[in-house]
Amino acid sequence: MTASEQPTTAIVFPGMGPSSFSEVGKFLVLDPFARKRLAEADEALGYSVFDRFRESEDSYSEATQIAFLVNSMASADRAVEELGIAPDICVGPSFGQKAATAFVGSLPFPELVRLTAEMARYEIAYFTEEYQDAVTHTFFRTPQDKLAEILAEFDERGEWYDYSGYLDEGFCMISLREKELEGLKQRVSRIGGYSMYTMVPAVHAPAFKELRRRVEEDVLPKYELADPRLPVVTDQDGTVVRTADELRTMLLDTFDRPIHWPKVVATLKGAGVAKVCISGPDNLFHRLECTKSNFEVVTVGPGKRPRDRAPRKR
């Protein structure tokens, strides 16, 4: 690939953080791009996503996930049609993989909606039967050597934990038993770290191989993926995906492999990316230091006007 052919713009579909109807419901109703995508989702599922989302008390329910997907795709529609964003490469960390799959044409949006709903049901069933008390906690400003000492205590007691994400320097996601959560928070605080939020159920942990197997055998065979029309960077290790089979593996890897955002950033930089457009409700990825310091960042999503942020000088 020559310098003139190197991609310069990436579209990033963010992972899903805690959200509520009050935060994004207005966007679903008022934004024309969201209304169009919402109508497609309703038709694909045979029920009103808006109504179920409004009634849901679970931050990661089936309807909440579909609403997040709708908003992410609607934001991408706006970025392309109104801002003229023409991405050369695509990334979808964590839940963002799903919107990325539709955006690159590997699965039509209505089918992607149905796939997302089925995956959500399988996740709910799995965590009802297995790892009922598992959570994933996110924290930052945590020195790696001090964190290693904390986790060594878990090892000494034979207590389960898994890394679920590496987001930035000292910025991690750890899955563990809920009964251990308060103790972890206290230890993180004592070493100068800051706790963010806790996800229930847990995500991206090697312990969840059985969930991966169930989805691989029961769900994905119903859907015929196409080769992506844009290269896709996996969130697990920064590998570039160019085929349907590779994308299918990426979708399965999300269940039992931790995300590694710095490796994604390294791949994008190596590909010549200078600008990233983060499309959807994002409270995390556009704020990470490794994102801000390496790219011009454009954010498009509910509750915000599109804005640019130039990379910082080092």
Side-chain angles (χ1 to χ4, degrees), residues 73-89:
M73 291 300 297
S75 299
D77 294 339
R78 182 178 297 281
V80 172
E81 295 185 29
E82 292 191 351
L83 303 184
I85 299 293
D88 307 280
I89 195 165

Side-chain angles (χ1 to χ4, degrees), residues 20-22 24-25 28-29 48-58 61 63-64 67:
S20 66
F21 178 80
S22 61
V24 298
L28 288 169
V29 173
S48 170
V49 173
F50 182 85
D51 288 347
R52 290 201 184 182
F53 178 37
R54 179 175 54 193
E55 296 165 1
S56 176
E57 297 180 356
D58 182 351
S61 68
T64 306

Side-chain angles (χ1 to χ4, degrees), residues 6 49 110 147 170 252:
Q6 285 184 335
V49 173
L147 176 60
L252 291 169

Side-chain angles (χ1 to χ4, degrees), residues 84-97:
I85 299 293
D88 307 280
I89 195 165
C90 182
V91 189
S94 190
F95 186 84
Q97 287 184 358

Side-chain angles (χ1 to χ4, degrees), residues 83 204 253:
L83 303 184
H204 315 312
D253 282 346

